[in-house]
Structures are given as C-alpha cells and as structure tokens.
Amino acid sequence: MSTKKSTNNLELLRHSTAHVLAAAVLEMFPEAKFGIGPAIENGFYYDFELPRTLIPEDLPLLEEKMKEIIKANYPFEKQEISIKNAREHFEKLGQKYKVELIADLEAKGEKNVSVYKSDSFVDLCSGPHIDSTGEINPEAFALTKISGAYWKSDEKREQLQRIYGVVFAQKKELKEYKIGQEEAIKRDHRKLGKELDLFCFSDLVGPGLPLFTPKGTIIIDELKKAVESICRKYGFEKVSAPSLAKIELFEISGHAKKFGDELFHVTSEKKHDFVLKPVQCPHHTQIYASKTRSYRDLPIRYMESDKQYRAEKTGEVGGLSRVYAITVEDGHSFCRVDQVKDEVVNMVKIIKDFYSALGLWGNHRVCLSVRDYDHPEKYIGDQKDWDTCEKMLQEVSDEMNLSAEKQEGEAALYGPKLDFMFKDATGREIQIPTVQLDFATAKKFKLYYINEKGEKISPVMVHRAILGSYERFMVLLIEHFAGAFPLWLSPVQVTIIPVSEKFSQYAKEVENKLLEKNIRVETNDKGESLGKRISETEKQKVPYILVVGEREMNEKSVNVRTRAVKEQQTLSVYEFIEKVEKEIVEKS
Ligand SMILES: [Zn+2]
Ligand SMILES: [Zn+2]
C-alpha cells in the first residue's frame, strides 16, 4: 500500500495529531496509560489513564508541548512486529490497555501488528499517518475539551480521561470553527431554555423528565395545533390511547425485543403487569382491529401526539435531546397497495406545508431507502408489493421534485421509506420527518380488510412523522431561531410598556383589546426605568413591544418596536391588531 499522503487528507492529519497529543501527555505524565485515539468529525480524541484529574489549564500547556513536537518534525515510522514482541514491549511499559488491544487482535487471528514511532513515542496503531509531525499546521489545531470516558465504552470498566481536539489544514478554518462554536453556545437550547423560561427539571421528579413551563407549553400547543390542522386537511383523525399496555402487544409488534431493557415496566400489588408504551403504532392497530373493514373504508388514518417512554441512556444533563419521556407526534394510514402512492404524496405535502411555515423547506435533502437487491430474502413482505411500492416512492420523488437520493440496503426490514434531512441555522443536519411503508405490522396483528371478492387482505400501514418528538423539535427550533421564535409560536407575542405609571390605565385598555383577539400579550409596568424595561423585554425576544405614553393615549395609538428592526412605527390600536392577526394566520 502506498504511504504517500498529503495534509489534504484530513482524517490522517487528525488521527496523527492524536499521536502528537499522546506524546505531549507522556511528557507531562510519564506514568500515563494510553487508551485509543481515533479521528472524529473536525478532529480527534485520545483516552488516557492519568495520575490526576485534568483541569482546563492543562490544555494550553499540552498545546505548547504539541507545537514543539510539530516543530521538531519527527517522522512517523511504521514497524510491523510480531504479536509476541508487541506484547512484551507494551507490558514492559505498563501499557495495560495496549496489551489488551493486542490480545484482542490476537484473538482475531492476527500474527503481526503495526506500531508507529515518532521520536521516542511508540503507539500501537494500524495507521496510516502523515509522513511527519511537521505536516501539522501549528496554528490550525486546538485542544477543546476534557471529559470522562469508559474504556471500551463499558460502564463496568475503568474510567479514563478523554481529551478532544480539532485540527484543520488552515488557520482560517480553525477560526471559522471557533466562531461557529461560540454561536452554538449562544444558541444552546439548555441555556436559552432557561433564559426564556421554557422548561425545567426537578431532582424530585427525576432526571430525563423535563417539565414544560407555561411558556414552553404554549410553543408545544401551537406546534400541535399547526400539525393537526394540516393533517386534518389530508384526512387524519385524532385518536387517543393510554400510556400503558400489556407486554404482549409489544411482543407481537416486535418492539419488546427491539427496545429490550429500554422498556419501563409497571406493576401493581393487584397483579398488573404493564409496560409504558415505547411507540404508539401497536395501540393504533387495535383501533383498526375493532371493526371489520371493507376495501371501501380505506384509507383509514389516525394521528396522536402523546408521551412515549424509553429508558434510553441520557448523556446530557438539563437538556431535551435525550429524555425518558418524549411526546411523539405520530400518524398512520392503513391502506390498500394501490392507494400507497396517494397516501405518500399527501404525507409529503403535509411535511412540505409544515416546514415551509417555519422557513425550513428548501434547506433539506431527501433519501429514498430501498431493499438490498442482492438479499431480498432479508425483508418481510411480498416481493411484488415491495416492487410496486418502491416504484411508487420513486414516482412521488420525481413528480414532487424531491430529487430523493436512492439508498440501496437502507430500507427497514418491513418496508421502504423516505427520510427528510434538514439543515438548521448552525449547519447541523437533522433527520426528522419520515414516511415509512410497513408490510409487516398489519400481518403480525392479523389486520385485514375485505376486498371486492370477499377475501381477507392485509392492509399496508404507512407511518409518518412530521415533527418527530416535540422535545427534539424544541431543540431544533430554539437553536435554529436562537430563541427569537416566529410570531405564531412566540409564548409572548406582544409586550406593552407604559412610559410611566400615569399611562398604566391606557396600557391595560390596549392589553384587553389584544386579549379579546387571542393575542398573547403582557404589560410590563413594574417599577423599573423605561429603558430597563425595554431592554429586559428585548432579551426575552418578544416580537413586538408597544410603548405607550401621552401622545399614544391621546391618539389611541401605539408606538411599535419590531424585534430586530431599528425603526419604530406609530399605528392605531386597530391597525396594529389587524397587522398582528394577519401575521399569525399567515405564520409569517
Ligand atoms: Zn495511529
Ligand atoms: Zn408508527
């Protein structure tokens, strides 16, 4: 294999920088024990067992040492040695983790391993690397973070210390990365969630169980209303199922096996033995099954926004990204094979309407996941139905200009699907909406409809998610808008600020007029100076601030300050209400 590489190959550069970090750590802590140090997005990490806990001040010191190693331009020298020699070498150094890795390689049948040497530092590694440390741009890397990590990601094993770094080819890219990070910190949903008072956690309630405040709940309710009103236009009907079910329900659907130890079990002294629902689909099948359905009744479409529970590992503290209780907006259509195309078209229209309203449509790509044609036996369902439905999905993509990228082998076991990936304001790609065909679930539950000839036929189940879970969607919204939500979603749409107490009465009058029109309004007349009250309200990112004083009271008008717009405008109360109502309805 050729070993000629260039720094254009960022992955080599990133991984090689991990070696340089390890060498610097060894200088600082001669007793350090090394775990692994792979390249990751934008950089690398390396895991160490160290005699003391690292502090943030260690990072610049290590960076300095790394710069010296880079400047010395040590070559990365590769050596193939026998497993036996490698073991002896690392045992002598007391590098127990490397010894364990060597044993793992031996168990896989390897006879030789490769080690890489740069100056005095030798690391077990399959490579490849850059030619020498001097290829790293000393101005284009940075150590970013320290965290804990279990050896081999196993909670029962040793806890190591992980150092993260970023590496780019050019100094300019590092600078851009740092600016992006600062922006991400400013937009962090945990920080903004607290500042804007949207959700909280309680030790008494438990971790991973977010509590939505009145303001956060307004956003969730508005989203719900928006999704449901679009879906209703396309024939979805709301249903409601309990949070619990007998485990048999999920054994039949396959979710008991799929979620395994992530299921929450609920028992009682009265011999109840339930699980909290990890998904809603199985409950919906039982509403379908409650009556005999004819081919003329289909499609039958149900939707529900309800809490689902999964004992997922919660990696993040105080955030909504991974929680035990998620409110999932789920919808299912039970239909005939010949109806699948129209169903999918409608679901894509729903997705388009909803994301357009948020200004996100256009900033996305679509994936069409189909079978692995070399192994059709891996999938559940009739091959003929798969052929028909994959073709239909392709037609939907063509006719609706989705330009879906076809991904062979990415279909679910039970059917093909369309996934939508959106880019948020920080450039992150998030997959939320999905339309999935399912040939299996109806069969598992023995669902059927009676066709024209009086035969029992299994319907196709089409699952669709528009916004996924409200919790994760909140993360996207908060970070995308940096808390400055569109008017229709803003918990407080208008704040009225009287210039002094003298005008509180007039402020109240205006407030009542807005309330009559269901506009979410607050008055801020609490003692503080006018300037302070205005800046407080601006920090809360309220879309409209109405300042009222002598002139406004006499004219029955309001002085309108629009969020992020410098100029102010004086409108009559009537004109202002008309303008706001229009903007809310149009979701502009
Ligand atoms: Zn390496
Ligand atoms: Zn479903």
Side-chain angles (χ1 to χ4, degrees), residues 23-297:
V25 166
L26 187 63
E27 273 183 37
M28 199 185 238
F29 304 102
E31 49 298 56
K33 306 225 178 328
F34 299 96
I36 55 163
I40 53 172
E41 195 188 357
N42 297 319
F44 62 90
Y45 67 77
Y46 211 120
D47 291 344
F48 309 97
E49 185 183 300
L50 301 173
R52 69 160 168 87
T53 305
L54 291 166
I55 51 172
E57 289 75 11
D58 290 323
L59 297 184
L61 299 176
L62 286 167
E63 282 176 351
E64 279 316 305
K65 287 189 190 298
M66 287 170 75
K67 281 180 188 160
E68 283 162 27
I69 297 168
I70 291 167
K71 203 169 155 204
N73 199 16
Y74 299 118
F76 279 92
E77 294 167 73
K78 182 179 180 174
Q79 232 186 320
E80 287 273 339
I81 57 173
S82 69
I83 290 265
K84 184 169 159 284
N85 284 349
R87 189 187 302 115
E88 274 170 21
H89 173 83
F90 287 103
E91 262 172 6
K92 216 176 344 165
L93 294 172
Q95 292 294 344
K96 57 178 182 177
Y97 301 107
K98 297 291 176 188
V99 172
E100 190 176 329
L101 293 175
I102 292 166
D104 294 344
L105 290 169
E106 194 174 17
K108 277 194 203 144
E110 301 285 340
K111 299 276 178 280
N112 292 308
V113 294
S114 59
V115 292
Y116 275 85
K117 185 172 173 294
S118 43
D119 189 29
S120 57
F121 178 67
V122 180
D123 203 351
L124 174 76
C125 185
S126 58
H129 300 93
I130 51 177
D131 291 333
S132 65
T133 59
E135 286 180 30
I136 300 165
N137 181 344
E139 295 196 297
F141 85 92
L143 298 179
T144 49
K145 175 167 92 164
I146 307 163
S147 78
Y150 291 103
W151 171 238
K152 292 187 169 170
S153 313
D154 181 349
E155 293 170 52
K156 294 184 197 86
R157 299 294 309 265
E158 297 85 342
Q159 199 179 17
L160 306 178
Q161 301 194 64
R162 176 171 292 179
I163 300 177
Y164 285 94
V166 291
V167 192
F168 300 92
Q170 307 296 332
K171 183 181 174 182
K172 189 177 111 234
E173 293 167 287
L174 175 65
K175 204 174 150 200
E176 282 165 8
Y177 171 83
K178 285 186 169 168
I179 293 170
Q181 284 306 103
E182 278 163 28
E183 187 60 26
I185 290 167
K186 261 190 261 163
R187 288 169 183 262
D188 188 312
H189 78 281
R190 290 166 292 183
K191 177 176 166 280
L192 285 173
K194 200 170 187 151
E195 284 172 13
L196 303 178
D197 191 18
L198 302 176
F199 58 88
C200 60
F201 287 86
S202 147
D203 286 340
L204 209 50
V205 174
L209 297 169
L211 302 166
F212 288 96
T213 60
K215 285 182 178 165
T217 306
I218 286 171
I219 298 179
I220 288 182
D221 283 349
E222 286 299 328
L223 289 171
K224 241 178 234 182
K225 272 194 266 172
V227 173
E228 288 173 1
S229 92
I230 299 172
C231 290
R232 227 172 274 121
K233 278 190 231 152
Y234 291 97
F236 278 90
E237 296 173 290
K238 252 175 109 166
V239 292
S240 177
S243 297
L244 308 162
K246 295 195 307 197
I247 189 149
E248 284 94 318
L249 182 73
F250 302 107
E251 278 166 353
I252 293 172
S253 70
H255 292 105
K257 195 168 164 213
K258 183 175 176 198
F259 292 109
D261 62 5
E262 287 184 3
L263 289 179
F264 281 103
H265 291 260
V266 183
T267 55
S268 81
E269 291 290 322
K270 292 176 179 147
K271 296 220 166 26
H272 291 110
D273 191 4
F274 289 122
V275 291
L276 289 176
K277 63 181 174 191
V279 289
Q280 0 247 36
C281 334
H283 277 95
H284 291 185
T285 66
Q286 296 312 294
I287 303 176
Y288 179 95
S290 63
K291 279 203 270 186
T292 302
R293 312 287 180 176
S294 138
Y295 67 97
R296 281 184 239 100
D297 300 331

Side-chain angles (χ1 to χ4, degrees), residues 281 330 332 463:
C281 334
D330 202 2
H332 300 106
H463 307 248

Side-chain angles (χ1 to χ4, degrees), residues 294-299 333-341 343 389 392 449-452 457-460 462:
S294 138
Y295 67 97
R296 281 184 239 100
D297 300 331
L298 302 188
S333 166
F334 298 87
C335 63
R336 307 187 307 255
V337 170
D338 64 286
Q339 293 171 323
V340 164
K341 186 172 168 187
E343 288 306 283
C389 290
M392 285 178 181
Y449 65 88
I450 307 290
N451 73 2
E452 300 92 318
I457 308 285
S458 293
V460 180
V462 189

